Amino acid sequence: MRPSQPRRAGYWLQLALTLLVCAFMTVPVVLSVLAGLTNNIFVGLSSGLTTRWLVEVWSLYRNTIFLSLGIALACLACTLVIGVPAAYYMALRRNRMTRLIEELLMLPVAVPGLATALGLILLYGSWQGLRTSWLFILIGHVLFTLPFMVRSVLAILSAIDIRTLEDAAASLGARRMTRFFTVVLPNCRQGILAGALMVVTLSVGEFNLTWMLHTPTTQTLPVGLADSYASMRLEIGSAYTIVFFVMIIPMLVFMQAVSALGARARRHAPVAEAAHDEPAALPQGTLSPTVAERRHA
């Protein structure tokens, strides 16, 4: 009984610490959500509940919501097209050059977003058509999120020894593009899903870089949220937070579910293959074909 007591005490201590951290992270969010559903934020719930702030947010800022979603999906497409082949190349050729490229890709994450945005303005600011377009924000988001896609896919490719799989497929006559689509992509699916989850989340919630790159006609959801709080419209800002959660949480849950299904399929695949390769059970007293052939000989 004595050895179990310290374990029991440690378990309750870990549970208490976990609940404390969860409360520390979720209580401010809950209070912000409640503020967006009350008639008067300074009076509190006693002033009554209402949805008029949500209606006002939708009427004033719905364009920012659709623009944020469009930029996030376009950013995901760009990082998939650029990041997955880049990770594939770096996984096959691990040398000083590829390590240098990997470190350079991390610079937009290490450098403050305002500095990256300033560099983009100095480089492309004279292109008036691009400067006033949402594509300008997309370029900044791709620079910021691309390292997360590359790192996620590269970690999976390094763990499964993609070079050996490549050599095996090449020995069977598969060309480079065939190997990429039939060997590389199926094996790094989990890394792609993990990278996609981070890319979409970061793109939708990115503020610092977007604040410098946006124009009055290309205002995204985080910029609109900051604008509503800056104008001291706290109920509008809180209702805006609710809209943000309603928009992003189902997307994250869907992507997590797809990732979990992929992981489950990969776990069950070896079992199914082993069951398929195992010979069927023979009736009692029946000799296997090999033994029967030997006796007949």
Side-chain angles (χ1 to χ4, degrees), residues 88 92-93 161-184:
Y88 171 50
L92 287 180
R93 294 170 174 83
D161 192 9
I162 193 63
R163 183 183 291 276
T164 302
L165 295 178
E166 264 264 330
D167 293 340
S171 66
L172 296 175
R175 301 194 176 197
R176 174 61 61 88
M177 293 300 294
T178 304
R179 298 197 299 266
F180 179 74
F181 285 104
T182 60
V183 176
V184 176

Side-chain angles (χ1 to χ4, degrees), residues 11 18 29 32 52 54 62 77 92 108 118 129 191 195 202 219 227 262:
Y11 167 78
T18 303
V29 176
S32 179
R52 64 175 175 146
L54 293 173
R62 64 174 177 269
L92 287 180
L118 181 60
L202 291 171
Q219 194 178 59
D227 179 65

Side-chain angles (χ1 to χ4, degrees), residues 108-144:
V109 179
V111 175
L114 296 178
T116 303
L118 181 60
L120 290 174
I121 292 173
L122 292 175
L123 187 60
Y124 302 110
S126 59
W127 300 10
Q128 190 62 28
L130 179 63
R131 179 68 184 89
T132 57
S133 172
W134 62 271
L135 294 174
F136 198 46
I137 299 175
L138 176 63
I139 293 173
H141 283 206
V142 171
L143 283 176
F144 179 68

